Amino acid sequence: MATNKNGIFTGKVAFVTGGASGIGRATALAFARAGASVVVADISEQGAQETVRLIEEIGGRAIAVRCDVTQTEEVKTALDRTIEAFGRLDAAFNNAGIEQAPMATADIPEVEWDRVIAVNLRGVFLCMKYEIPLMLKQGGGAIVNTSSGAGIKGFRDGAAYVTAKHGVIGLTRSAALDYVSHNIRINAICPGITSTPMIERIIGGDDVMREQLLAQEPAGRMAHPEEIANAVVWLCSDAASFVVGHALVIDGGQTV
Ligand code: NAI
């Protein structure tokens, strides 16, 4: 589907972290289809450039920016580049994330704990810290942060990931209250098991593991990344104008 010249995001600018792969790439494309100019920010420059190519292929406008969300200077630079290229920031999707090496809580090395929290929680905070002033300056905006089913329930062998994703919901709710009166809406999403490179790494070609994961999904299948992307675009749109501090579960019934 081509980009929409009269779309709900025409003339607007979207910033997507983790935009080189999976849910982030699908969302960058969905924003472009809705008319937005898109900044694809990722630690993987090659992947980000491929997302830009896919956007350009459907007639959209995008730039790739290298950004490690754990590094303050890289986050600031990526947002500076956003303003230089497109002049504003209307929607930010703070989505970059990593999986945890599966192990019971007491076995998690401190370095693994710190790595997962740094990307999945501190990274979301850092991005918001520098996105919000830009939105305040222009009079508003919308932010969506990626949590997970692991943000609302525990999972065995996943304490660091689960802690980070629960944290994203707390961070989202507090930040939402801080800025709702400034016309900035901040929400989170909690995807279920979604067919992305991350999930394929977790499955690691193990059919038993694949069956175990699928057994968690009452829908009997994984989500397509586009099904998550649609929700993010909606949350950032005016159609969701009174949705504030919400953690939207998109999981085919996994956590019902
Ligand atoms: P993915 O591995 O396909 O994509 C993640 C992207 O984040 C990659 O492009 C990667 O290069 C980037 N990234 C990793 N560390 C980064 C850093 N420090 N700075 C900037 N970019 C970085 O993963 P997927 O599945 O698309 O996941 C996206 C988000 O959705 C993550 O936050 C993940 O925790 C969350 N999620 C995924 C689910 C799934 O089943 N796939 C379910 C629930 C949540």
Side-chain angles (χ1 to χ4, degrees), residues 18 20-24 42-44 67-70 95-98 119 146-148 161 165 191-194 196-199 201:
S21 178
I23 292 169
D42 203 291
I43 201 167
S44 162
C67 175
D68 178 343
V69 296
T70 68
N95 162 77
I98 53 173
V119 180
T146 301
S147 178
S148 168
Y161 186 86
K165 294 300 187 180
I193 302 165
T194 308
T196 68
M198 177 187 283
I199 278 295
R201 283 194 300 274

Side-chain angles (χ1 to χ4, degrees), residues 198-219:
M198 177 187 283
I199 278 295
E200 289 307 322
R201 283 194 300 274
I202 290 169
I203 291 171
D206 178 345
D207 288 341
V208 176
M209 174 68 129
R210 186 179 299 276
E211 286 311 311
Q212 280 171 354
L213 278 178
L214 280 175
Q216 291 180 30
E217 280 291 359

